[in-house]
Amino acid sequence: MMIFVLKILNKREIYIIFLALILLIIPTNYALSKTSGFIIKNLEVSEEFNLKFKKEDVIEKAFQKAFNQLLFKILVFKDYNRIKSINLNQIKPLVENFKIKNEKFQDNKYFANFEIKFNKKEIFNFLEKKQLFHSIPTNLDVVILPIFIENDNFKIFNDNLFYSNWLSKKNENYLLNYILPLEDIDDFEKLINTKNYIENFDMVKFSEKYNSENYVLSLIYKNENKLNTYSKIKFKDNVKNSNFIIENINLNDISLVQSYIDLLKVHYEDIWKKQNEINTSIKLTLEIVLNSNDFKKIQKFENTLNNIYLINSFNVKKFNLKRNIYEIIYNGNPSSLISRLKDENIILTYENNKWIVNEK
């Protein structure tokens, strides 16, 4: 009887059935571990090359450095400081795999470039046990307009220490990529004309000139020996105002000015991370219908699911020759997941009490 059934099916249908059986047999968690994780790339590590040299020490040093970089990207700064010095024995089980590239010896030193992949689920479990919320590490281009105000004197462009030094120091671990506006006479006049109500300056139109919807208007007031910074912020669809105070300042020392800028950058990073924060202890379920038997479309869809940090796991709940129904377990809320899928060009529509992938 089985032979007869196969004869009336064409090769394409047999292939789809065979593929579906494989997807059901292979555990979803296994598939996730192969494709989904936190990857730290281009990590440079060096070590003195002498009689005490051990390559194992270099690898452990790379693990520690990569783990700290990862924590910096996904935790707000106060939480990062709490656990950045964690024991190496606790880090090793979180590493899924690693690669060593471009090894060389020079001037009695060993140099290497590492790529280290941490297991996403293990990282989530580790942070959950520490009762820490983490964010989705998402890079964002942001127009920054820092204005320094001292004794009602507005310093906007090149006469402004904060404008001149904002981009002078780079940190690859920052998620926010700042776009500093060029000095423009028209912009300067608009800013001066609105200085009495500068906090209402139209940053939307201003940032559009630089092809960005995201902005920070940073008004840095000097008050005796402290800086009081009022910021008007828009990251994606979220608009927020914030105040940040730095005390015991010395603006005559450029290195200290740079440290104040770093503090402001960390403050903005924390706001962005908070906006993308997820609680892994809360797990919800969503069913999504993919009306397709095209292997490439199925593979592309599943690869996308694997790479969305909100998704904890997924499996094919039902299938036939025309469609797959996926059960997705995720963290956060439904609107966040649907929005994240939209960012990956997966548009969902709600029809007949089901979420369906729009193939248009």
Side-chain angles (χ1 to χ4, degrees), residues 72 161-174 176-178 180 254-263 265-266 269:
F72 189 89
L161 283 171
F162 295 91
Y163 175 91
S164 301
N165 291 282
W166 195 269
L167 299 180
S168 61
K169 183 181 176 183
K170 292 185 178 180
N171 187 329
E172 298 298 328
N173 297 325
Y174 286 156
L176 299 178
N177 175 44
Y178 290 103
L180 200 64
I254 293 299
S255 64
L256 287 177
V257 172
Q258 188 62 63
S259 72
Y260 308 148
I261 292 173
D262 289 341
L263 288 173
K265 286 182 177 180
V266 168
E269 290 280 318

Side-chain angles (χ1 to χ4, degrees), residues 175-188:
L175 299 171
L176 299 178
N177 175 44
Y178 290 103
I179 302 168
L180 200 64
L182 300 174
E183 186 168 1
D184 183 276
I185 293 176
D186 290 337
D187 290 335
F188 181 80

